[in-house]
Amino acid sequence: MNLLLTILVEGLGYASYLFIVSLGLTVIFGVLKILNVAHGAFYAWGAYLCAFLIGEFSTMGVSDLGTMVAIPIAALIVGLILGSAIERTIIKNLYGRDEVLIVLATFGLFLVLEDVILLVFGVDPYFAYQPTYAMPGVQIGGIHQDGYKLSMIVVSLVIGLISWAVLNRTHWGKLVTAIIYDSELAVAMGINVPRVFYTVFVAGAVLGALGGAYIAPTISVAPGFGVEVIVLSFAVVVIGGLGSIPGAAIGALLVGMLRAYAVLQWPEIELFVVYAVMAAVLIFRPEGLFAPAKARKI
Amino acid sequence: MALTSDRTTLGLTVGFVAVALLGVFVLPDWLLNQILVAFSRALAVVGLLVLWRTGLVSFGHALYFGLGAYTVALLGRNYGIGEVLVTLPAATLASALVGFLLGFIVRRYREIFFAMLNLAFSMVLFGILVKTEALGSTDGFNVEQPTLLGIGTDDAAVKLTALFLGVCAIGWLTAVLVHRYLGSILGSLTTAVRDNEIRVEYLGYSAAEAIHGKYVMSAALTGLGGGFMAISLGQVDPESMVNWTVSGELVFVTILSGPGSVAAPFIGSLIFELLRTYAFELVPYAWQLIVGGTLLLIIFFLPGGVWSVLSRLAGRRGVEP
Amino acid sequence: MSAILETVGVNKTFGAVTAARDINVSVAKHEIVGIIGANGAGKTTFVNMVTGWLPPSTGRIRFDGRDITGLAPRKITRLGICRSFQVAQVFMTATVFDNLMIALGIADAHGLGVLLPLRVRAREERADAILRRYQMQDYRDQPASTLPQGIRKLLDIAMAMVAQPKVLLLDEPTSGISVEEKFPLMDIVMGALKEEGVTVLFVEHDMEIVSRYVSRVLAFYQGEIICDAPPAEALADPKVKEFVIGDDLHNQTLLQAGALQDGAQEVSDARG
């Protein structure tokens, strides 16, 4: 029972940041038809900038809880500045090109951005545990649970709900949904597609950076850690269905739980269980579990 | 046209013989070593080139590279077999067999899904290798001293030269055979499948079967390349043989080389190897930056890869590439 | 006359939509059959079922005395039924000549024969002969992506004919082609097809084309065949007038001018 609970909480915590990152990835794919490998770089940049800012704030005398403000700041800076710059210079020139070529281009971009991190932040790892000290632990079922991790679950829930509401309840969200459904028709309807693309890309970049910024206080932020998350996020969105928000949620939960279970109970399969599930989903439901509806063209 | 294809075969023969002669009589050992590693990888890239011409990119061919490498290494460790006339065909066959089986699944997919499914399969192998002590876990293990027809040598220089000549010979054979293949009716179903599968079906051929065949071929060549790499490096481990980064390198070299010719992977591979060596010496922390930047430059400005530059230069001088 | 192509009680439903209802057609060798109907009447569904793209929900399709129901397109192609497409399906990056070479290569290859070289002298000569027959010599070395619409459709048809099928289905050969080009194009196509003695079924919107080239008309409406008759008779049929021709302004104009009846009359007169 305790074990089950531990797996559940561990899995949820893991799923929550995977969901935030995957949400950005899947929305960008759904709208722009770009599988953005550089998303992993937004994540890494978010983490680095956040860890750096927390360190700075801390030396300025900000309280441990107060340093948490670095998380949204880092996410916004990375998303708005780096995300915009990349959309304007590179992504914009990729629209409509061969999907695989786009993946390769964003992969190139990812590699470049990863190394620029090293040039900017150096090769030494960053530690920024302050926010985790500020969060009180909670007793659930007699087990001590890390308060910061629980806050992450809440935040990801809120973000998921906000995204859902924006897409389903606002005019702008309906434009986006129309483009996901049929972008040619959207153009014909007079929707300013390039503008929507730009906004969605930047929003996705903010989400990617937020995932990184939120996880930063719980780990040592070191070179090359954006790689694992991008590959896992791919698994999440492929399992859930490229372009689907509920899919990203289910995919993240599935991957999070599987990993938590594997880590605690069956370490031999930890490294590949996610990929095995991804392969199985692709084989039996090639479009993923929750592929969004698309206009059928013959 | 038959004349041109003969000319390409002749060109390949002249090129490989020239490299072999230069290697034996002129080039320093460190360069010989680089060519050995580069050509081992090039064998795999030739396989990816066939897929790329068909419009398919695999992000998981490290699966076959690793299968080839580990087949060679395990034959040595478990059975004491170092005979290259056994180990290399075994590496090729093992990869071809797995490629044949997985081919029934992957041939139903295109574009990103094809790429990602391959990635998933390769990561499963990676995970198994890392976690299995019997297979060397993360450290891997050493490869048995290679022998040819039972003859081996402890002299490092002689061994290097022998391996170098071996990779040149196999590289030449591979290039000539794949070139012939691309000139066959089945070979014309690379770009044709990429362009229009519906038309291929309505001409009376199964696009899925055509893709399956090419997939097996690419798996076999990648296994051969991995096997040769294992012998060249004398060691196998999951990180340098099976991880997704290995797949990434194979794809990168494919794009760098360009789809224009079966000779391109050998040139592209060598450039990649030299670039890596010098980059590590000159700018130690910018290797990814160089690879990523090159990838972007090629995609945006040089879709034909290095080969298109070479053939343009050769064309200007009026020389047949 | 023995039937070369025969459908018996063929139905096709997509969920609640019925795209074909009890289709019974028998086509004799060397017939030229026109298939007409408004958009969504089931014409292309019919072509897709005969050529194996869609299996019928119920019913049988027989070709040359053999049941071909549900066979894959490539198998049906190998048996001798080929088709062209509403949107030309060609190899866009290859030249016109190479398109034909690949088509010839696949048609020639059996078993391990696919490993033989594509570019052999005899095959190249055949490709050039096809270029001449369809008057595409001027475009020989042009990539298909750069071709004018009409030439691309011509290439599409020429590629379908490469395997020398017994039955050819043309899906709207003149759609997307300007009025001035239509007749010259169809003259080339029908001339070549007659030379080869192939049985032709073609889907067409333009009644002027239909009345000029076909010997028999199948009119579709809501998945059913509402008329199966020689063109003059079919175009005079009140149901055809209402459900097929009625919605098309161009055809209506022609109809009012009496051009269709005259044209159809001429054709049937010529045939005796």
Side-chain angles (χ1 to χ4, degrees), chain B residues 183 185-186 194-196 199 204, chain C residues 78 89 93 114 116 118 156:
Chain B
I185 293 166
L186 196 53
R194 183 195 64 201
D195 276 1
N196 197 328
R199 180 43 93 188
Chain C
R78 292 278 180 193
Q89 301 290 335
T93 62
V114 289
L116 293 171
L118 177 71
D156 188 49

Side-chain angles (χ1 to χ4, degrees), chain A residues 245-284:
Chain A
I245 290 178
I250 299 292
L253 275 174
L254 198 63
V255 170
M257 293 299 167
L258 274 171
R259 215 193 82 137
Y261 169 72
V263 167
L264 291 165
Q265 280 291 285
W266 197 0
E268 290 78 17
I269 65 161
E270 180 204 335
L271 278 169
F272 67 83
V273 63
V274 171
Y275 302 103
V277 170
M278 171 175 153
V281 168
L282 275 175
I283 290 165
F284 295 107

Side-chain angles (χ1 to χ4, degrees), chain A residues 182-239:
Chain A
D182 187 343
S183 62
E184 279 170 39
L185 193 66
V187 175
M189 281 161 61
I191 296 175
N192 186 346
V193 171
R195 201 189 147 99
V196 174
F197 277 13
Y198 170 77
T199 318
V200 166
F201 188 83
V202 172
V206 170
L207 285 172
L210 182 64
Y214 221 104
I215 204 78
T218 67
I219 55 169
S220 72
V221 182
F225 89 120
V227 172
E228 197 205 349
V229 82
I230 189 65
V231 183
L232 281 175
S233 307
F234 274 164
V236 166
V237 297
V238 166
I239 289 170

Side-chain angles (χ1 to χ4, degrees), chain A residues 35 93 97 99-100 103-105 107-108 111-112 114-115 227 234 242 267-268 271-272 275 278 282-283 286, chain B residues 57 59 105 108-109 111-112 116-117 123-124 130-131 244 251 255 285-289 292-293 295-296 299:
Chain A
L35 190 53
N93 299 309
R97 291 184 68 172
E99 276 184 20
V100 173
V103 176
L104 290 172
F107 176 56
L111 293 176
V112 170
E114 280 269 288
D115 265 10
V227 172
F234 274 164
L242 279 161
E268 290 78 17
L271 278 169
F272 67 83
Y275 302 103
M278 171 175 153
L282 275 175
I283 290 165
Chain B
V57 175
F59 293 162
I105 300 170
R108 289 154 48 203
Y109 301 86
E111 302 202 323
I112 292 176
M116 299 304 277
L117 191 57
M123 290 307 280
V124 170
V130 165
K131 291 286 179 179
W244 69 270
V251 172
I255 307 290
Y285 294 122
W287 171 236
Q288 293 196 25
L289 196 104
L295 200 52
L296 284 172
I299 288 170

Side-chain angles (χ1 to χ4, degrees), chain A residues 80-166:
Chain A
L80 294 181
I81 297 179
L82 195 61
S84 295
I86 282 168
E87 203 276 347
R88 291 286 105 175
T89 53
I90 293 182
I91 302 295
K92 204 177 69 168
N93 299 309
L94 289 171
Y95 296 138
R97 291 184 68 172
D98 181 61
E99 276 184 20
V100 173
L101 215 59
I102 293 176
V103 176
L104 290 172
T106 60
F107 176 56
L109 193 60
F110 170 73
L111 293 176
V112 170
L113 289 173
E114 280 269 288
D115 265 10
V116 175
I117 285 184
L118 298 187
L119 297 177
V120 173
F121 294 99
V123 289
D124 295 326
Y126 279 68
F127 302 95
Y129 298 139
Q130 287 86 340
T132 61
Y133 300 148
M135 288 283 183
V138 182
Q139 297 281 329
I140 302 178
I143 305 168
H144 178 81
Q145 298 292 355
D146 177 6
Y148 187 82
K149 196 189 298 158
L150 296 177
S151 81
M152 209 147 79
I153 299 173
V154 175
V155 167
S156 73
L157 262 176
V158 171
I159 288 178
L161 286 175
I162 292 176
S163 314
W164 182 85
V166 167

Side-chain angles (χ1 to χ4, degrees), chain B residues 66-225:
Chain B
L67 273 174
Y70 272 78
T71 303
V72 168
L74 286 171
L75 278 174
R77 200 182 68 162
N78 295 354
Y79 305 102
I81 300 171
E83 175 58 52
V84 291
L85 293 182
V86 176
T87 55
L88 288 177
T92 314
L93 277 177
S95 293
L97 183 66
V98 174
F100 176 71
L101 295 176
L102 291 183
F104 285 103
I105 300 170
V106 298
R107 72 185 204 182
R108 289 154 48 203
Y109 301 86
R110 306 288 180 272
E111 302 202 323
I112 292 176
F113 295 98
F114 179 87
M116 299 304 277
L117 191 57
N118 276 291
L119 173 69
F121 287 141
S122 77
M123 290 307 280
V124 170
L125 178 68
F126 177 73
I128 292 173
L129 288 175
V130 165
K131 291 286 179 179
T132 313
E133 285 301 327
L135 294 172
S137 190
T138 43
D139 293 337
F141 53 92
N142 288 333
V143 176
E144 182 81 5
Q145 188 75 344
T147 59
L148 176 64
L149 295 168
I151 305 164
T153 175
D154 286 329
D155 185 330
V158 174
K159 187 180 152 194
L160 176 62
T161 310
L163 283 175
F164 166 79
L165 288 176
V167 89
C168 284
I170 291 179
W172 168 78
L173 191 64
T174 301
V176 168
L177 288 179
V178 173
H179 172 71
R180 284 283 161 94
Y181 167 82
L182 289 174
S184 72
I185 293 166
L186 196 53
S188 73
L189 288 181
T190 48
T191 47
V193 167
R194 183 195 64 201
D195 276 1
N196 197 328
E197 289 189 31
I198 294 175
R199 180 43 93 188
V200 170
E201 292 281 337
Y202 276 107
L203 286 172
Y205 206 87
S206 157
E209 275 168 29
I211 286 173
H212 198 163
K214 287 163 221 306
Y215 187 75
V216 173
M217 185 173 169
S218 74
L221 285 172
T222 308
L224 177 63

